[in-house]
Amino acid sequence: MAPAGKADTMSAPHLPKVAGIDPAVTASPHTVAPTSTSTSTSTPTSTPARTAHAPAPAPAASSVIQDRLAGMVSDLTTLHELTERLARACDLASSLQEFLRAGAALVGARRGLLVLEPSDGLGPATTIGLGLSRADLGHIETVPRGSTSYGRILDGLPDAHGGSDVLPEPGLVPAPGSAGQTAPVDPRHREVAVRLGFAASYSLPVTADAPGRLGAAVWLYDEQAEPSDRQRDLVGLYVRHASEHLARMVEVERSRSDLATVSEELLPSRLPRISGVQLAARHHSGPRGGGDWYDALPLPEGALGLSVGSVTGSGPSAVAAMGRLRASLRAYAVMEGEDPVAVLSDLELLLRLTEPARSATALFAYCEPAGTTQSGSRRNKIILAGAGHTPPLLIGERRTEYVETTLSAPLGMLSCWEAPSVEIEPAPGETVLLYTDGLLRRTGDPMDRAYARLHAAAAGIPRSAREDPAAICDHILRTVLPEAQAHDAASAMDAAEDIVLLAARFD
């Protein structure tokens, strides 16, 4: 807002705020009263001409009003565009980055950081930077907390209306709101400012109705500067709206984290050690929580049961259904694991009787590593059956091929499920890779191209990585889902798919 001392110079009354914005308007050349020469040309002959020094208040007042309205419309348009961009951010990380970028544009800064530390202590807690590297953020964290308003940013406790820190004199810094009073600056504060090359900062708290304080934001100036009254009004309005959006994203992130924790707890905490077999698994939950699972179960006489599957749907109900099906499949595998068709038939019957509105895909493999059975056979033997599931991939030095399983419907889709099993014999050093279709769908490609991408990734595994099933899984993930493409696919599909890989390398 314009200083009170300048209010008397305006020829128009003070206008009310629009949406909380009251930008200061300085008189432009268009607001100067026209001379008598210009006014006499438009004045009727019956009207006495004005003197050369008489002002024309009506045109001046109209011009001031137009300038004010134009500024208000511009400000509202800017806020609308920035809040629209924030609303399109679909997760907490992108929302925090957009918050920092928009705030920097509004206050005229180039760099900044945001400390997220909800006051209820439930997290998540993080610090992100704009134009700052991880090393820069590390230097900032070394500033003693509470020594200055900038130090209080690290605790998320700036003044309720924000504050500015300028470093004009070595050893002193104006205290926010102190009108010329000075407070000592911690030497570490000045050292970090010199190292990072900033001369001033502007900070604001980030608070919402619930859960209250979320954290604080600070924007850094390369030169001694501070935002104008108009900029403070704009960024204050934006932060009030953005804080509520961040609060919703925090709650979503908490729900996703809790759901991912439950999902991980329902899966094996460790893989068994079986003679003749090396195992590794990777599991990545989607943000809404899915029903993909994997399992490795020791069976009598040195045998091993491997299973992967996926329950339709997402969210807590899918996670709960996944836990029930996985536990049931373990019981059936112990009783009749030598016949994978019988195992899946029992699982299908249970699903149809207990959860008739849900379907699932599953694959179960009964493995006999070489030399572990009573017969002492030196061959690795796997009998497997699948119900609408993706085919396993056999990876070796001399071959990389999909195992041709019998086409069949998912569990719960037909009145009675049954399909013949297939038998394979992995050679020593070969790896059988089981996975869920989330790996293919995350690519964003049609399924035929996704299968080709997976096959090419498996065929290109370096020789040094083929002896380690964990390295095989990591190579598959890096190759099939490069970082940029994985992000594009996730944004296109809202990253709803779980990813499961289970690799078994036979000696």
Side-chain angles (χ1 to χ4, degrees), residues 47 80 82 107 131 178 200 209 214 231 234 289 301 308 320 325 338 351 409 411 440 454 467 469 484 486 495 500:
T47 304
H80 176 75
L82 293 177
V107 301
S178 58
D209 293 339
L214 293 173
Q231 289 174 320
L234 285 173
E301 300 179 358
V308 291
L325 283 183
E338 296 182 9
L351 181 67
L411 303 176
L440 305 175
L454 175 58
E467 298 181 358
V500 164

Side-chain angles (χ1 to χ4, degrees), residues 136-152:
D136 295 338
L137 292 176
H139 289 309
I140 292 174
E141 290 287 354
T142 64
V143 176
R145 301 191 173 195
S147 60
T148 65
S149 64
Y150 181 75
R152 288 200 303 271

Side-chain angles (χ1 to χ4, degrees), residues 415-434:
S415 58
C416 181
W417 177 91
E418 187 171 349
S421 60
V422 297
E423 181 176 329
I424 59 175
E425 295 183 359
E430 291 187 332
T431 299
V432 177
L433 180 68
L434 310 181

Side-chain angles (χ1 to χ4, degrees), residues 54-66:
S62 175
S63 180
V64 170
I65 292 174
Q66 290 178 2

Side-chain angles (χ1 to χ4, degrees), residues 377 379-382 394 399 423-428 430 432:
S377 172
R379 297 180 302 140
N380 296 306
K381 178 181 176 182
I382 298 179
L394 191 60
R399 59 175 175 173
E423 181 176 329
I424 59 175
E425 295 183 359
E430 291 187 332
V432 177

Side-chain angles (χ1 to χ4, degrees), residues 46-241:
S46 59
T47 304
R50 293 189 177 95
T51 61
H53 301 286
S62 175
S63 180
V64 170
I65 292 174
Q66 290 178 2
D67 288 347
R68 282 183 176 273
L69 290 178
M72 293 174 184
V73 170
S74 176
D75 291 343
L76 290 175
T77 301
T78 299
L79 288 176
H80 176 75
E81 293 176 353
L82 293 177
T83 54
E84 283 286 322
R85 289 170 53 181
L86 181 66
R88 288 194 293 268
C90 60
D91 56 28
L92 180 61
S94 59
S95 297
L96 294 175
Q97 289 290 346
E98 179 58 34
F99 178 94
L100 268 182
R101 284 193 296 267
L106 290 173
V107 301
R110 188 172 61 88
R111 294 178 292 173
L113 72 150
L114 189 150
V115 178
L116 183 67
E117 191 174 298
S119 58
D120 56 13
L122 300 179
T126 185
T127 300
I128 67 168
L130 174 68
L132 299 172
S133 65
R134 292 186 178 181
D136 295 338
L137 292 176
H139 289 309
I140 292 174
E141 290 287 354
T142 64
V143 176
R145 301 191 173 195
S147 60
T148 65
S149 64
Y150 181 75
R152 288 200 303 271
I153 279 296
L154 301 179
D155 286 328
L157 296 172
D159 182 77
H161 301 290
S164 298
D165 279 350
V166 184
L167 304 178
E169 298 286 343
L172 293 178
V173 59
S178 58
Q181 298 179 8
T182 58
V185 175
D186 188 276
R188 185 57 185 165
H189 185 183
R190 181 169 295 282
E191 178 184 342
V192 170
V194 172
R195 178 185 293 270
L196 300 186
F198 70 87
S201 64
Y202 181 70
S203 60
L204 276 176
V206 182
T207 59
D209 293 339
R213 178 174 60 85
L214 293 173
V218 59
W219 292 278
L220 307 177
Y221 294 92
D222 297 338
E223 300 176 352
Q224 296 180 10
E226 61 180 353
S228 64
D229 290 341
R230 175 185 177 187
Q231 289 174 320
R232 292 173 188 264
D233 288 337
L234 285 173
V235 76
L237 284 171
Y238 177 79
V239 168
R240 282 198 291 273
H241 170 82

